[in-house]
Amino acid sequence: MKIAVYGKGGIGKSTTSCNISIALARRGENVLQIGCDPKHDSTFTLTGFLIPTIIDTLQSKDYHYEDIWSEDVIHAGYGGVDCVEAGGPPAGAGCGGYVVGETVKLLKELNAFYEYNIILFDVLGDVVCGGFAAPLNYADYCLIITDNGFDSLFAANRITASIREKARTHPLRLVGLVGNRTSQRDLIKKYVEACPMPVIEVLPLIEDIRISRIKGKTLFEMVGSEPSLNYICEYYLDIADQILSQPEGIVPKEIPDRELFNLLSDLYLNPIDKGKDQNNKKNLLGFTMV
């Protein structure tokens, strides 16, 4: 099973991806997480450091695939999850989609691409071109990470459009949305009413999720010294269980941009609860989300 995790930049995809990867490993799966971001920090909380990237390794070997070994590019992470960072081209040059393609090509050359029960692609930011959408070419499922903010749901809708387009050529399906660290659900609810799709889980708004990233540890590792965090891990295990049930998934149909803008902005301008304070109003547009 191959899963592509998408969402607006800064929404917490990498933190969520790492915890889902460990949850899948805790369920007995052999998991590889591939970071698809030039920052090459997707797997930081799994390994504790920035591992060498595929593209840097290829360049150092003058693109001689036969000179590269699995241990050069695949690194062991916490909880038995193996980690790869694709890396990216220099800023302002090249295409991230090419780098993803080279990563998959090398892993196939090393006979590693098919050795895992699950491969999880953690993909950077919004989908604005074919390069950003490249991991969908290899995925069975897509999972979208969002919060209750205007911008993140706008990005989710663009990702939805990309899933629909890619599903024309191969059996790609959307598993659903995961709400990350949000105390509000009204915009998410409004969006999925207009663009029907499953909401897999909504993670609680707690500081420990953000701190785990800063510490370079997953929630599962932090539980060792802070048992009170165990309940948060149950959220990720629930997501893993839903993925492992091999859901049928859906081919979604996005909402036109203007219609989506009107839908979400109307809820902000005309909140259901007139008594909400200004901070909650800001929260609707995502201004206070971390």
Side-chain angles (χ1 to χ4, degrees), residues 150 187-195 255-269:
F150 184 99
L187 284 185
I188 293 175
K189 180 180 179 182
K190 199 75 173 178
Y191 176 67
V192 299
E193 285 175 353
C195 183
I255 304 172
D257 284 351
R258 290 183 185 277
E259 182 180 330
L260 178 62
F261 185 91
N262 290 334
L263 175 77
L264 299 182
S265 60
D266 179 67
L267 187 60
Y268 169 65
L269 295 172

Side-chain angles (χ1 to χ4, degrees), residues 22-60:
I22 294 180
L24 289 164
R26 291 283 175 93
R27 294 306 195 216
E29 303 299 326
N30 188 17
V31 182
L32 172 68
Q33 181 167 319
I34 301 177
C36 305
D37 189 323
K39 297 196 309 296
H40 59 94
D41 62 347
S42 166
T43 59
F44 174 68
T45 56
L46 289 169
T47 62
F49 68 103
L50 297 178
I51 64 176
T53 70
I54 290 278
I55 201 68
D56 288 343
T57 304
L58 283 170
Q59 288 174 346
S60 70

Side-chain angles (χ1 to χ4, degrees), residues 244-255:
L244 293 176
S245 71
Q246 296 187 345
E248 183 178 351
I250 65 168
V251 177
K253 188 178 188 307
E254 73 281 5
I255 304 172

Side-chain angles (χ1 to χ4, degrees), residues 83-95:
C83 302
V84 164
E85 290 286 353
C95 174

Side-chain angles (χ1 to χ4, degrees), residues 157-178:
N157 195 59
R158 294 177 64 88
I159 296 162
T160 294
S162 185
I163 295 168
R164 177 185 55 76
E165 185 62 31
K166 293 292 184 181
R168 296 177 187 271
T169 56
H170 72 281
L172 170 69
R173 295 293 182 269
L174 172 66
V175 179
L177 294 179
V178 170

Side-chain angles (χ1 to χ4, degrees), residues 51-93:
I51 64 176
T53 70
I54 290 278
I55 201 68
D56 288 343
T57 304
L58 283 170
Q59 288 174 346
S60 70
K61 301 292 185 178
D62 201 25
Y63 287 86
H64 290 163
Y65 288 82
E66 67 277 8
D67 293 335
I68 299 175
W69 300 88
S70 295
E71 53 267 29
D72 294 329
V73 292
I74 301 175
H75 300 264
Y78 177 81
V81 176
D82 280 349
C83 302
V84 164
E85 290 286 353

Side-chain angles (χ1 to χ4, degrees), residues 179-247:
N180 186 42
R181 293 171 44 235
T182 177
S183 60
Q184 303 285 337
R185 302 190 185 193
D186 43 4
L187 284 185
I188 293 175
K189 180 180 179 182
K190 199 75 173 178
Y191 176 67
V192 299
E193 285 175 353
C195 183
M197 64 181 65
V199 177
I200 302 301
E201 188 60 89
V202 178
L203 299 167
L205 178 60
I206 63 167
E207 188 69 0
D208 294 287
I209 295 178
R210 186 185 67 84
I211 290 175
S212 72
R213 180 72 172 169
I214 296 171
K215 288 184 174 181
K217 295 181 178 181
T218 63
L219 272 298
F220 287 88
E221 186 173 1
M222 288 175 63
V223 163
S225 58
E226 301 177 61
S228 62
L229 300 178
N230 188 63
Y231 80 98
I232 308 174
C233 297
E234 294 298 324
Y235 285 91
Y236 298 108
L237 289 167
D238 179 61
I239 296 171
D241 289 339
Q242 292 187 61
I243 292 172
L244 293 176
S245 71
Q246 296 187 345

